[in-house]
Amino acid sequence: MLKIEHIGIAVKNIEQSNDLFTKLFGKAPYKMEKVESENVSTSFFMIGESKIELLEATNPDSAIAKFIEKKGEGIHHIAYEVENIIEEMKRLKSEGFTLLSEEPKRGADNKLICFLHPKGTNGVLIELCQEIKL
Ligand code: CMX
């Protein structure tokens, strides 16, 4: 793994949270994006080299809706950038981690992504992401 790519925070209302985090950071999100396949609306803030993603559920079946219902708003996942997501998925699978998809999926902010089940990572949902190079 190369570095922490971003930290994802589950929020109930992304417009209100955008205002809150804009006040907190002193700068606005650089991007907002809906990811239909994950049933989420996202916004991204860049703070120095660190990226924060806010996530709001767009329907009740969304992982974010379930998370908020169970645990309330808060840190939802930590995403790590990888050089080659296919190779990293193979490596982690052979180490015994549970991948939540067999293939990488297309995520927000121009990334291929794959999640690891939090039960196998001390209760922290881990996302792997690789930049899609055009
Ligand atoms: N962090 C830590 N634990 C989590 C979690 C999270 N984000 N989400 C769920 N859990 C816990 C649940 O609380 C539950 O714990 P207990 O058994 O102790 O109650 C456990 O994981 C398993 O729960 P589950 O009922 O088997 O499964 P869920 O329906 O809650 O789904 C998960 C959990 C991780 C499999 C599902 O959320 C998932 O597939 N996530 C990956 C996709 C995703 O999160 N998409 C949204 C973000 C997209 C993006 O970043 O663009």
Side-chain angles (χ1 to χ4, degrees), residues 35 38 40 42 53 55 63-64 66-67 70-71 76-77 100 108 113 115 117-119 123-125 127:
V35 186
E38 296 288 330
V40 290
T42 65
E53 176 185 27
L55 301 123
I64 298 302
K66 287 186 193 159
F67 178 85
K70 227 171 185 179
K71 297 179 190 267
H76 177 259
H77 65 263
L100 290 172
I113 62 170
F115 287 89
H117 201 289
K119 283 286 168 197
V124 178
L125 178 62
E127 178 183 348

Side-chain angles (χ1 to χ4, degrees), residues 38 85-86 89 93 99-106 112-115:
E38 296 288 330
I85 195 163
I86 304 273
M89 286 168 71
K93 197 172 178 178
L99 306 180
L100 290 172
S101 63
E102 285 299 318
E103 305 282 335
K105 297 197 278 183
R106 195 164 182 136
L112 288 174
I113 62 170
C114 177
F115 287 89

Side-chain angles (χ1 to χ4, degrees), residues 5-6 30-31 33 35 42 44 46 51 53 106-112 130-132:
E5 211 284 329
H6 66 265
Y30 68 87
K31 180 187 244 187
E33 189 178 342
V35 186
T42 65
F44 288 90
M46 192 55 105
K51 200 189 275 182
E53 176 185 27
R106 195 164 182 136
D109 210 20
N110 196 39
K111 299 280 190 287
L112 288 174
Q130 180 195 321
E131 176 125 19
I132 299 170

Side-chain angles (χ1 to χ4, degrees), residues 14-30 43-45 47 54:
I14 203 158
E15 297 298 340
Q16 283 175 12
S17 295
N18 277 341
D19 290 347
L20 181 76
F21 279 80
T22 296
K23 276 188 210 146
L24 179 69
F25 296 143
K27 67 202 283 196
Y30 68 87
S43 60
F44 288 90
F45 292 83
I47 311 302
L54 303 183

